[in-house]
Amino acid sequence: MAVKHIKGSDLSSVTSPGNKVSLVDFSANWCSPCKMLDPVLKKVSEDLEDKVDFYHIDVDESPETSSRFGIRGVPTMIVFHNGQEIDRMVGFRDRNSLQRQLESLTESILV
Amino acid sequence: MDLRTGLVGGNPGKGRTTDLVIAGGGPAALSASLYAARYSIDHVVLESYQPGGQAALTAWIENYPGMGRISGGDLAARMKEQAERWGGSFETATVTSTGLRDDLIEVKADSAVYLARFLIIATGAAPAKLGVPGEDRFYGRGVSYCATCDAPFFKGAHVMVVGGGDSAVKEGLHLSEFADRLTLVHRRDRFRAEPYLAEKLLSCDNCSVRWNTTVSAIEGEDGVEGVLLETPEGEERIDVDGVFIYVGRRPATEAFSGLVELNPDGTVKTRGIVGTSRSNVFAAGDVTDNELRQVVTAAADGARAASAVFNLMQ
């Protein structure tokens, strides 16, 4: 499972089935930690493909959506379940900590 | 990881036995790896939290000899490229604990265990927090520790920088290129930053400085809207859209606390420049208690530490 690039206008149509959550990574091409996060997201998306759908939004390409979600720092990862924000992570995460956090989140949300 | 291509240089492994483990991924670790590789020392660099270290988050570095003006990310990428070209070996793993096993140092990193004759601690430091109400709540919603990452979100805004050292002033100058207005708050009556930077900020058209002033709270609803200040004249609230905090650093030394002697502030207590309380463990860069903490001194520390390992191996 790769990380799918979407525009902000597509966000409302992003709906994972009830047994999955969606992680949306808001990032920018001028941001070093965002570039560092890209391969981490790719790896974690492969490990958690049955639990989490991964999306990427470029804040410069979708400024209105970024503003609507109060993004004022990148990378910011927002996790959605049934269209509702259930978690938000700001800044770089290494593979283990991101995976642990998502596993713990999905265990508590998905039954 | 290649900071420009985003490619991961190595995956978490199962661990191995080696002559030298270098913990960290910033300039001190990269320089140590370059020198260790040229000394033909079998080694592995365990990059963790922040590949490229704090240098990668610095907008512009203008005081690294020979480089002119270069972005921190590019400088770190070049250092890593150079170390890898000479045979530096990198794995992405966070050191979680260290100890002794027979004559070797045991380094646990994620799920892997490494055994090494020597260890260089170069794990750097993370930004210190102010510790005021609102700081955690608004992190990513107006509170930031990285102007390089977040300055473009504050075009035309009023932003505050807290601190008076090189980082505060340098990143404040970077922010002033985006913000309409920049207010720098410093608890003392003069900068600790190098005079060149201080003068540049003091002569910046859209910058002002509040001396002898501290932040007591960060306020807002969905994001930062203002701060409460303690000034010589009393409490004052001012409206700001963002708060960038540069009030020092917390050394990342938790994993080494049982292995080498630390100072009360968490830095590694050094003997000489890079020696520690244990003869086969060295420390380099921002984890040490050495006074000057710059990219150039971190790189020098890394070289000294690798050289010390080489000498002990002879």
Side-chain angles (χ1 to χ4, degrees), chain A:
Chain A
M1 170 73 190
V3 181
K4 189 177 175 190
H5 180 81
I6 58 169
K7 290 189 175 164
S9 51
D10 302 327
L11 187 58
S12 56
S13 61
V14 168
T15 48
S16 297
N19 62 343
K20 290 179 93 174
V21 300
S22 305
L23 180 147
V24 182
D25 163 43
F26 290 82
S27 58
N29 60 14
W30 36 260
C31 148
S32 288
C34 302
K35 289 179 193 166
M36 297 167 189
L37 186 64
D38 284 346
V40 173
L41 285 174
K42 188 170 180 296
K43 288 280 182 196
V44 178
S45 72
E46 288 163 3
D47 293 339
L48 297 181
E49 65 177 332
D50 55 335
K51 294 175 183 165
V52 186
D53 289 327
F54 288 77
Y55 299 93
H56 166 259
I57 287 179
D58 185 320
V59 294
D60 291 325
E61 195 176 82
S62 305
E64 286 172 10
T65 305
S66 306
S67 172
R68 183 154 56 89
F69 283 94
I71 307 290
R72 283 203 263 175
V74 283
T76 291
M77 291 171 277
I78 302 182
V79 185
F80 295 94
H81 180 56
N82 290 334
Q84 298 296 313
E85 177 177 338
I86 56 168
D87 197 18
R88 181 178 290 227
M89 294 169 265
V90 180
F92 177 81
R93 292 286 195 283
D94 63 35
R95 182 181 173 182
N96 284 299
S97 66
L98 179 62
Q99 187 151 340
R100 272 197 301 268
Q101 181 145 351
L102 287 173
E103 278 172 346
S104 140
L105 200 62
T106 50
E107 271 170 28
S108 65
I109 293 288
L110 306 176
V111 287

